[in-house]
Amino acid sequence: MTQSFSGRRLARELGDWRTSAPAYRALSDRIRVLLLDGRLGSGITLPAERELSQSLAVSRTTVAAAYAALRDHGYLSSVRGSGSTLALPGGRRGAHTSPIDLRLDFTKATCAAYPGMAAAYRQAADLLPGYLHHHGFDMDGLPELREEIADSYAQRGLPTSPAQIMVTIGAQHALNLLTGTLYSAGDRILVEQPTYPHALDTFAVAGARMLSAPVTSEHGWNIAEAAQLIRRSAPSMAFLMPDFQNPTGLSMPAADRARLAAVAAREGMVLVADETTALLDIDRGPELPLAAYAPGVVTLGSLGKLAWGGLRIGWIRGPRELLDRVRRHRPSTDLGTPLFEQLVATLLLRELPLLAASRTRDLRRGRDHLSGLLASAFPEWTWPVPDGGMSLWINTGNLSTSALSLAARAEGMALVPGPRFGLDGAFERFLRFPFCYSNEELTEGVRILSGAAARTGGIPFRLPLQAVI
């Protein structure tokens, strides 16, 4: 079924789209960015020229010229009487284009596989024959894996029973299961602003109305505003990342964790804490999980960031009665988590301190190297240096990061502009740049970024990078 966007809805998605370029080109570029990074899907029908011109308060000529530019570059197909439909060049279809053909892909904050990964797979292969008597449909997870996960929480100060764990096919799968279980039509969901883009995608597909609670580099979480939203709007659930938040890298202080957990418990809202980045600690030190502050907090975990994204193993930690509800819902989406990957995950969790130390070493190197490169190339830009996580959240001043990402793509580098992490076009002047890549890749990335910034008219081109390599 073809999806149509109204003029008002597209205007919200476009956000602050104007740049120093001619208006028609700025508009066509912004629509192209929305398609490339997944905020608009291939096959969506755009509003009529007159409707969009009224919503944007521009001339119809401007919109017509923007649509014509998109058609000329293969991003829009128009049939008289059927409207104008977004398309990916060359007939490719999907939620967004793959940057596979680009020289550098910084759209993913993820590391290469842990050095011990191959050995874990070999050992799991040796163990697998002992499990072939199993029917293979595993809705809860192997007992030994759930024991290891439960023990990892106990080591962090949160006593946990294996019965409180359900193993899933990654953390995103876990979030989809929880959303399908907790969300009902008409409910509201509270999210951080900015936040993890695929969480926003999950809630949007469910049809949820999202409420945003701000997270800023200067002040962290605004717990007072979040509490007011919870009391006034009664969301059924909230999604947040209290440890090395994606994209800001911030961690929620203990006092804020306690206050938020208390408000959620009092108002009957389910707090869902995404802890996929919780063990990516560079300088912070241990912090009690959010679930330690209230028994009803639900936690998502995964080995994707810590070990390898290709190991699709995640989990839900939560009250047993909630997991019973998820278990009843789960067969409508899948029939369990593959056993072989569960064996690999079990082995990796048994060497968790070594795994975390290896990842911390690489992340510290990347963070410090990227910070040095950016400080030399872009002294006008600002960013907090996070004490964990995988990315810098960069304030680019007056430079549009949507325009910047297009210019960088033309040079073979894929970036995710700031609005992908927010609602209604927010964060146009922010850029997430992962530091979980090699020094050579980061150096080349900043070199391309310098040229892209110069071409967008935002920052004078400068390239004294050799001094900080």
Side-chain angles (χ1 to χ4, degrees):
M1 179 178 177
T2 302
Q3 184 182 7
S4 298
F5 264 47
S6 67
R8 291 180 63 185
R9 182 177 177 187
L10 182 56
R12 288 198 304 271
E13 291 290 342
L14 289 168
D16 182 11
W17 57 273
R18 291 183 180 273
T19 66
S20 58
Y24 84 91
R25 197 175 81 194
L27 179 57
S28 66
D29 283 350
R30 181 57 54 85
I31 292 174
R32 186 152 55 105
V33 168
L34 296 178
L35 176 63
L36 291 172
D37 71 18
R39 282 174 281 167
L40 294 178
S42 177
I44 283 177
T45 299
L46 295 183
E49 294 171 2
R50 185 185 303 277
E51 180 186 356
L52 185 57
S53 68
Q54 292 172 347
S55 297
L56 296 178
V58 299
S59 71
R60 184 175 176 181
T61 302
T62 296
V63 176
Y67 280 13
L70 290 167
R71 280 192 294 271
D72 290 345
H73 290 91
Y75 291 95
L76 196 67
S77 61
S78 300
V79 177
R80 185 177 296 276
S82 299
S84 298
T85 302
L86 285 173
L88 297 173
R92 295 173 292 171
R93 296 184 63 80
H96 55 80
T97 58
S98 170
I100 192 170
D101 297 328
L102 300 180
R103 191 161 72 253
L104 290 173
D105 177 12
F106 289 122
T107 64
K108 300 172 182 66
T110 186
C111 296
Y114 164 59
M117 183 64 66
Y121 269 90
R122 287 192 294 267
Q123 190 176 350
D126 292 337
L127 295 172
L128 183 61
Y131 290 82
L132 294 181
H133 65 282
H134 194 285
H135 51 66
F137 297 100
D138 188 5
M139 305 296 287
D140 293 307
L142 288 177
E144 50 266 57
L145 176 55
R146 288 188 285 128
E147 288 175 6
E148 292 295 337
I149 295 170
D151 183 63
S152 72
Y153 282 109
Q155 294 298 318
R156 296 170 58 204
L158 178 61
T160 301
S161 162
Q164 294 175 270
I165 304 295
M166 174 183 283
V167 180
T168 63
I169 312 170
Q172 184 65 25
H173 176 234
L175 180 60
N176 275 276
L177 287 174
L178 279 173
T179 303
T181 301
L182 294 171
Y183 173 77
S184 298
D187 284 356
R188 296 173 174 87
I189 295 178
L190 183 68
V191 298
E192 298 164 319
Q193 174 88 323
T195 192
Y196 177 55
H198 295 306
L200 298 178
D201 296 340
T202 296
F203 303 143
V205 168
R209 177 184 173 189
M210 286 175 271
L211 308 171
S212 60
V215 180
T216 65
S217 299
E218 297 79 14
H219 306 293
W221 284 258
N222 190 329
I223 301 300
E225 183 170 334
Q228 186 178 32
L229 278 171
I230 294 168
R231 286 191 294 266
R232 185 176 65 231
S233 301
S236 58
M237 62 182 284
F239 173 85
L240 69 156
M241 300 184 72
D243 297 277
F244 313 121
Q245 196 250 9
N246 184 4
T248 66
L250 298 174
S251 290
M252 184 179 288
D256 286 351
R257 296 177 192 234
R259 290 173 59 201
L260 185 60
V263 170
R266 186 169 61 248
E267 300 297 327
M269 182 191 71
V270 178
L271 269 180
V272 178
D274 182 337
E275 286 196 344
T276 53
T277 56
L279 297 183
L280 303 179
D281 188 351
I282 299 175
D283 298 318
R284 187 194 68 183
E287 183 71 70
L288 273 178
L290 183 60
Y293 295 89
V297 173
V298 181
T299 303
L300 308 182
S302 168
L303 286 172
K305 299 290 189 184
L306 194 63
W308 184 43
L311 180 64
R312 305 307 305 146
I313 294 293
W315 56 84
I316 303 170
R317 181 202 180 275
R320 297 181 189 182
E321 59 272 21
L322 174 60
L323 294 186
D324 288 341
R325 293 171 57 195
V326 175
R327 192 178 297 109
R328 292 193 294 270
H329 165 74
R330 184 169 182 175
S332 67
T333 61
D334 73 283
L335 295 176
T337 308
L339 288 174
F340 182 67
E341 283 73 15
Q342 291 191 65
L343 291 174
V344 176
T346 302
L347 295 169
L348 291 171
L349 283 168
R350 288 173 182 167
E351 55 183 76
L352 186 57
L354 182 62
L355 172 56
S358 172
R359 193 59 81 205
T360 293
R361 181 181 62 250
D362 290 342
L363 291 174
R364 177 179 289 109
R365 182 266 311 154
R367 181 198 64 182
D368 295 347
H369 186 71
L370 179 59
S371 292
L373 292 172
L374 291 171
S376 176
F378 301 101
E380 299 90 348
W381 292 3
T382 60
W383 60 91
V385 178
D387 52 17
M390 290 185 159
S391 303
L392 300 182
W393 183 236
I394 304 166
N395 185 334
T396 62
N398 293 322
L399 183 59
S400 161
T401 57
S402 293
L404 184 64
S405 70
L406 277 181
R409 182 175 284 267
E411 297 300 318
M413 181 173 74
L415 295 168
V416 183
R420 184 69 175 98
F421 298 87
L423 300 173
D424 300 329
F427 307 111
E428 184 56 58
R429 271 51 180 174
F430 285 81
L431 176 70
R432 188 194 73 168
F433 203 116
F435 51 74
C436 47
Y437 291 88
S438 70
N439 283 3
E440 293 75 17
E441 290 170 313
L442 294 173
T443 299
E444 176 66 3
V446 174
R447 188 193 70 79
I448 293 175
L449 194 65
S450 296
R455 284 189 297 280
T456 61
I459 300 291
F461 182 77
R462 57 170 65 82
L463 191 60
L465 297 179
Q466 291 78 4
V468 290
I469 291 175

